[in-house]
């Protein structure tokens, strides 16, 4: 159910024109690496060991960023 809700929210984000550029994804990837006290190359190696390609990982980051932006937009709209 959570996955269905997430997919629906991603569709809303796309339909309303929310976008995440490559620089934002790069920054998110670097932040994950920093949080784990490793560099991006090591992060990609560890992710690959879990069977996730770099493209899949970046797509997951993009989705997380889109959802975050959508939620931020919704909160601002509620505060009006």
């Amino acid at each position: 159910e959570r996955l269905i809700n997430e997919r629906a929210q991603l569709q809303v984000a796309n339909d309303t024109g929310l976008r995440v550029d490559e620089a934002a994804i790069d920054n998110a990837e670097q932040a994950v690496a920093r949080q784990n006290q490793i560099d991006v190359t090591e992060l990609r190696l560890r992710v690959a060991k879990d069977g996730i390609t770099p493209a899949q990982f970046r797509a997951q980051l993009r989705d997380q960023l889109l959802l975050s932006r959508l939620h931020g937009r919704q909160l601002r709209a509620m505060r009006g």
Side-chain angles (χ1 to χ4, degrees):
E1 184 175 317
R2 190 184 116 252
L3 183 60
I4 292 170
N5 186 34
E6 188 175 289
R7 288 286 151 214
Q9 289 179 347
L10 286 169
Q11 187 62 50
V12 168
N14 287 320
D15 290 349
T16 59
L18 281 177
R19 298 287 179 261
V20 175
D21 61 21
E22 290 298 311
I25 298 167
D26 290 342
N27 288 338
E29 190 174 35
Q30 291 166 7
V32 171
R34 272 194 311 277
Q35 289 169 359
N36 287 284
Q37 300 176 342
I38 56 176
D39 62 21
V40 171
T41 302
E42 179 64 23
L43 174 66
R44 290 176 181 166
L45 289 172
R46 291 183 185 188
V47 168
K49 286 181 183 177
D50 290 336
I52 301 170
T53 67
Q56 290 170 322
F57 183 64
R58 289 177 64 82
Q60 290 172 2
L61 290 174
R62 178 182 292 110
D63 288 351
Q64 290 173 11
L65 290 167
L66 274 172
L67 290 173
S68 177
R69 290 180 182 186
L70 178 64
H71 295 155
R73 180 187 278 183
Q74 290 171 336
L75 285 174
R76 285 190 300 278
M78 289 172 55
R79 293 179 186 153

